[in-house]
Amino acid sequence: MSQDFLERCNKKMQSLYDYCGTKASELYTKLLEEVQSLYNHCKAKANVLVAKLLEEVQLLYNDCLEKIIAFIAQVKAVIAVAKIQLSMLERRVRLQVMSIVNKVQDKQRRIVRRIKVRYNSLRMMWHSNQHFTFWFIPADGQNIARTHVKKTHLKYAMTAVASFLVFVSCTIGVLAHFAVQNEQQKQELAAYKQTKSEQEQTIRQLRLMAETNQKKLAALSKLEDQVRSQMEKSGAQLPPKSNASDYAGQGGPVLGSANPASIVLEQEKNIGLEADAKKADLENLLSAIEAENYRREVTPSQWPTSGGYISSSFGGRANPFGGYGRDWHPGIDIATDYGEPVYASAAGYVQQAGWYGGYGIYARINHDYGYQTAYGHMSRVVCSAGQYVKKGEIIGYVGSTGYSTGPHLHFEVIHYGEQVDPSSLM
């Protein structure tokens, strides 16, 4: 008797659900027509407004274009006047420069002419005489002395004086060359000392920077170890760390053929290798964290309602309809108020949403890692087949549809095709 009554109630609920769906479809169609009409009206208004705006913009563009053309014409006129004035100024300057050059050339020709006349007279005097007389006049004008010198002796004397002057000039040149070299060596030595001092200062700064970077890398390594420790406690799969022997430090008491700069460069090289290794480790660790977050996102672990309690556990139980016999319960029943929201226990794609026999209004979601979750006896469902839902997103509301004695949510978890106890994952 009770079984027939439940089946009739189920049929009535199914017909009522279908009627509500039909009405909702009609209401949606009307609403869609109204929205389309409103959209067409707004589109027409927008087209009129755009046309007016284009006209205003065109007028403004034409006005600006006329002003720009007038301004360009004024600029061209100013440029033409400036070119004329510049050509006139250039002509005046050229004439003045040519006048000055002509005066300088005339003066130069007069001076050259005088020099040539003087040189020719001295040359004729030298060739026409074999003896020369030198007068020695004291300042008081008394005891004037004179001497006669042969031109041959005078040639010898002039040659000797010229040779002496050449010798003195060469000696002065060599000494000046050595003095310049000495000064250059002094400057080079001072520059070398300055450069060496700057290099030593730079090496000290680089050592301090290397020590600071090594401290930062050590702190980063400790932080990475702490993150790995916390992830291991949460059960995450961690990638292996890089090989520390690639950048391990070495040393000794003898410097050998190296120098302080090469030591600093070697330290910087090892710091770079260690930084690259830490970067690779952190990137791998980030990938592991992202994978772990994704695994948690798609693993059913969130309680599917905002409250409630388990009114019927997973597994064998007494028959709730009449109390006689036992049956197998493939999930858990969570008793809570009618109309309370139902949340997706994990992220995934909705496989089924709607009426499903004794489950009443039902939803089934496929997750990754072989998990599926099912939600039954809801009052209504707000997701559809093929939709992607996030973890904690509302997919329906608690009800008592299907084979149910009162408001509750029937919740199932399937792992690779086998039913599992949902309470073991919460």
Side-chain angles (χ1 to χ4, degrees), residues 22-68:
T22 303
K23 289 295 184 181
S25 298
E26 293 176 356
L27 181 61
Y28 174 76
T29 302
K30 291 181 180 180
L31 181 61
L32 188 61
E33 291 176 355
E34 293 292 335
V35 170
Q36 185 64 35
S37 175
L38 181 60
Y39 169 74
N40 293 333
H41 178 71
C42 293
K43 184 177 180 181
K45 291 290 187 181
N47 290 334
V48 173
L49 183 61
V50 168
K52 291 182 179 179
L53 183 61
L54 287 175
E55 291 178 359
E56 293 292 335
V57 170
Q58 186 64 36
L59 293 175
L60 182 61
Y61 171 75
N62 294 333
D63 186 30
C64 293
L65 186 61
E66 291 177 357
K67 291 182 178 179
I68 291 172

Side-chain angles (χ1 to χ4, degrees), residues 400-422:
S400 186
T401 57
Y403 299 156
S404 171
T405 62
H408 74 283
L409 174 68
H410 176 79
F411 178 53
E412 296 179 9
V413 176
I414 304 97
H415 192 216
Y416 290 113
E418 295 185 1
Q419 302 282 351
V420 296
D421 186 2

Side-chain angles (χ1 to χ4, degrees), residues 312-355:
S312 182
S313 302
F314 175 81
R317 65 173 182 177
N319 187 356
F321 304 108
Y324 298 100
R326 297 182 64 80
D327 66 355
W328 175 260
H329 193 219
I332 61 174
D333 290 339
I334 302 173
T336 186
D337 294 334
Y338 185 93
E340 284 293 318
V342 176
Y343 306 101
S345 183
Y349 289 91
V350 178
Q351 180 185 9
Q352 183 179 350
W355 192 273

Side-chain angles (χ1 to χ4, degrees), residues 157-341:
M158 292 176 62
T159 303
V161 170
S163 300
F164 177 76
L165 292 175
V166 169
F167 174 75
V168 171
S169 299
C170 292
T171 304
I172 293 174
V174 171
L175 293 176
H177 175 70
F178 286 136
V180 170
Q181 281 190 340
N182 187 27
E183 186 65 25
Q184 289 179 350
Q185 290 177 354
K186 287 182 180 179
Q187 293 178 358
E188 290 176 356
L189 180 60
Y192 170 75
K193 291 181 179 180
Q194 180 67 21
T195 304
K196 184 179 180 181
S197 176
E198 292 176 355
Q199 289 179 348
E200 291 176 351
Q201 180 68 20
T202 303
I203 290 173
R204 285 194 295 270
Q205 293 177 355
L206 289 174
R207 285 177 177 173
L208 292 176
M209 292 173 61
E211 185 177 357
T212 303
N213 291 332
Q214 288 169 355
K215 290 179 180 179
K216 291 180 179 179
L217 287 174
L220 186 62
S221 180
K222 291 181 180 179
L223 181 61
E224 180 188 357
D225 293 338
Q226 293 175 359
V227 172
R228 286 177 174 271
S229 176
Q230 294 298 323
M231 291 184 66
E232 286 178 353
K233 291 180 181 179
S234 64
Q237 296 292 331
L238 298 179
K241 295 181 68 174
S242 59
N243 188 8
S245 62
D246 295 337
Y247 50 84
Q250 298 179 0
V254 181
L255 186 61
S257 60
N259 54 62
S262 62
I263 294 175
V264 173
L265 291 176
E266 189 66 26
Q267 290 178 355
E268 289 295 328
K269 176 182 176 183
N270 286 336
I271 290 174
L273 293 175
E274 185 175 1
D276 293 339
K278 290 299 177 186
K279 179 183 177 182
D281 288 344
L282 291 176
E283 288 176 349
N284 294 332
L285 194 60
L286 178 61
S287 299
I289 292 173
E290 291 174 348
E292 177 64 16
N293 289 337
Y294 175 74
R295 185 188 68 81
R296 293 187 178 185
E297 183 70 15
V298 299
T299 301
S301 59
Q302 179 171 333
W303 190 256
T305 61
S306 58
Y309 61 94
I310 298 177
S311 59
S312 182
S313 302
F314 175 81
R317 65 173 182 177
N319 187 356
F321 304 108
Y324 298 100
R326 297 182 64 80
D327 66 355
W328 175 260
H329 193 219
I332 61 174
D333 290 339
I334 302 173
T336 186
D337 294 334
Y338 185 93
E340 284 293 318

Side-chain angles (χ1 to χ4, degrees), residues 137-143:
I137 303 174
D140 55 2
Q142 298 178 2
N143 300 323

Side-chain angles (χ1 to χ4, degrees), residues 1-14 321 400 402-405:
M1 182 66 179
S2 61
Q3 187 69 25
D4 294 337
F5 176 74
L6 289 174
E7 290 180 356
R8 288 196 300 274
C9 289
N10 190 15
K11 291 179 180 179
K12 290 288 185 181
M13 292 297 293
Q14 182 65 39
F321 304 108
S400 186
Y403 299 156
S404 171
T405 62

